[in-house]
């Protein structure tokens, strides 16, 4: 009952907001936790983060191969999606044919490329340089081909609790156009578009270390990516590299990560040039319309 009071009070607060908002977390003498925009004695400011942690640094790597003539720099992409990379060399000394401009490239999935071979001007002295590698998942050259998506769940009807450009959390470039849909934990989540699974997280419990909680990222054929967040622990049934169709079962909704109650956070993103950002989209039917049983089975 206490949990139900907490969730209802918070969803009511979020769905009705229209301006910048400070949210307070308050626990009364009976241990009931509520969220409110009113400062009370003993209440603490609730700090929300929609920062999504995806550890791809171990899957996009710069490798240095030393040889008699000098050194060769390669970049390896172990992800199941393309990666835009930019390599620049700082603090260069004793390099033949110094590279002044950064090198940018789009590296295909599961591949590697030789970017530079370096040799010393004076073979009797060591080369010196500091490589700096920047990268972002996705191919920025591709143009989105669709802006309407079928509802990515089965059941309902459910309710939108925070829309695009929300003042509570949807204000960063990666999440500006995200939608939060309140739904019971365990609701089947399905793919809104076909594509390849490029990243998943399935072991977050409760609030965990990742604000996004458990998630699935699907790379669509036009370079956009659908991301499904706050999923139930252990419910993700797809694997990285797997191709899914519209309506394919992905996982079950949950309340993991920096979540204020059971809901699905759905966002469409693309690489806009060494940065992954959210882009506008619409569902092809109202969220609170009849239960969605139209797509697929488990």
């Amino acid at each position: 009952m206490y949990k139900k009071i907490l969730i209802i009070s918070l969803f009511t607060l979020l769905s009705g907001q229209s301006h910048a908002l400070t949210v307070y977390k308050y626990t009364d003498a009976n241990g009931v936790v509520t969220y409110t925009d009113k400062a009370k004695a003993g209440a603490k400011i609730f700090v929300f983060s929609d920062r999504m942690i995806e550890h791809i640094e171990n899957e996009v790597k710069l490798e240095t191969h030393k040889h008699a003539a000098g050194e060769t720099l390669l970049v390896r992409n172990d992800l199941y999606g393309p990666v835009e990379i930019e390599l620049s060399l700082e603090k260069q000394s004793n390099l033949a044919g110094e590279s002044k401009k950064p090198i940018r490239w789009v590296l295909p999935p599961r591949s590697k490329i030789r970017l530079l071979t370096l040799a010393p001007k004076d073979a009797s002295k060591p080369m010196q340089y500091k490589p700096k590698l920047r990268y972002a998942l996705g191919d920025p050259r591709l143009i989105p081909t669709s802006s309407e998506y079928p509802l990515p769940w089965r059941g309902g009807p459910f309710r939108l609790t925070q829309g695009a450009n929300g003042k509570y959390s949807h204000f960063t470039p990666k999440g500006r156009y995200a939608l939060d849909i309140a739904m019971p934990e365990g609701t089947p989540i399905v793919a809104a578009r076909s594509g390849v699974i490029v990243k998943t997280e399935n072991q977050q419990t409760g609030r965990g270390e990742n604000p996004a909680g458990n998630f699935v990222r699907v790379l669509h054929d036009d370079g956009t990516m659908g991301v499904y967040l706050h999923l139930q622990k252990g419910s993700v049934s797809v694997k990285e590299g797997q191709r899914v169709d519209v309506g394919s079962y992905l996982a079950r909704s949950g309340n993991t990560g920096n979540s204020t109650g059971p809901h699905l956070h759905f966002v469409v993103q693309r690489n806009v040039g060494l940065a992954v950002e959210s882009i506008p989209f619409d569902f092809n039917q109202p969220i609170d319309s009849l239960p969605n049983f139209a797509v697929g089975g488990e």
Side-chain angles (χ1 to χ4, degrees), residues 69 89 92-99 116-122 127:
L89 302 182
Q92 300 180 41
S93 176
N94 194 35
L95 292 185
E98 294 182 351
S99 177
L116 278 175
T117 296
L118 304 173
K121 287 182 180 178
D122 185 343
M127 297 183 297

Side-chain angles (χ1 to χ4, degrees), residues 246-287:
V246 176
S248 294
Y249 176 77
L250 301 177
R252 294 189 179 276
S253 66
N255 189 22
T256 57
N258 203 337
S259 170
T260 54
H263 75 284
L264 172 68
H265 175 109
F266 179 72
V267 63
V268 179
Q269 299 173 334
R270 68 180 292 257
N271 183 347
V272 297
L274 284 174
V276 174
E277 296 186 1
S278 64
I279 60 174
F281 73 94
D282 293 306
F283 287 131
N284 62 10
Q285 68 184 82
I287 291 174

Side-chain angles (χ1 to χ4, degrees), residues 3-60:
K3 183 176 180 182
K4 183 176 181 181
I5 293 173
L6 181 156
I7 293 168
I8 292 174
S9 61
L10 181 58
F11 283 164
T12 301
L13 173 66
L14 296 183
S15 61
Q17 67 180 334
S18 59
H19 50 79
L21 182 65
T22 299
V23 177
Y24 297 89
K25 181 179 179 181
Y26 175 72
T27 305
D28 68 15
N30 296 317
V32 177
V33 178
T34 59
Y35 295 84
T36 175
D37 59 347
K38 307 296 183 184
K40 295 183 178 182
K44 296 181 179 180
I45 294 177
F46 180 73
V47 179
F48 186 92
S49 171
D50 63 354
R51 181 172 54 92
M52 185 177 182
I53 301 174
E54 289 178 276
H55 293 290
I56 66 172
E57 63 273 9
N58 294 324
E59 296 171 280
V60 182

Side-chain angles (χ1 to χ4, degrees), residues 64-73 95 116-120 127 129:
T64 302
H65 292 185
K66 298 181 182 292
H67 45 79
E71 298 176 1
T72 297
L73 303 183
L95 292 185
L116 278 175
T117 296
L118 304 173
M127 297 183 297
Y129 64 92

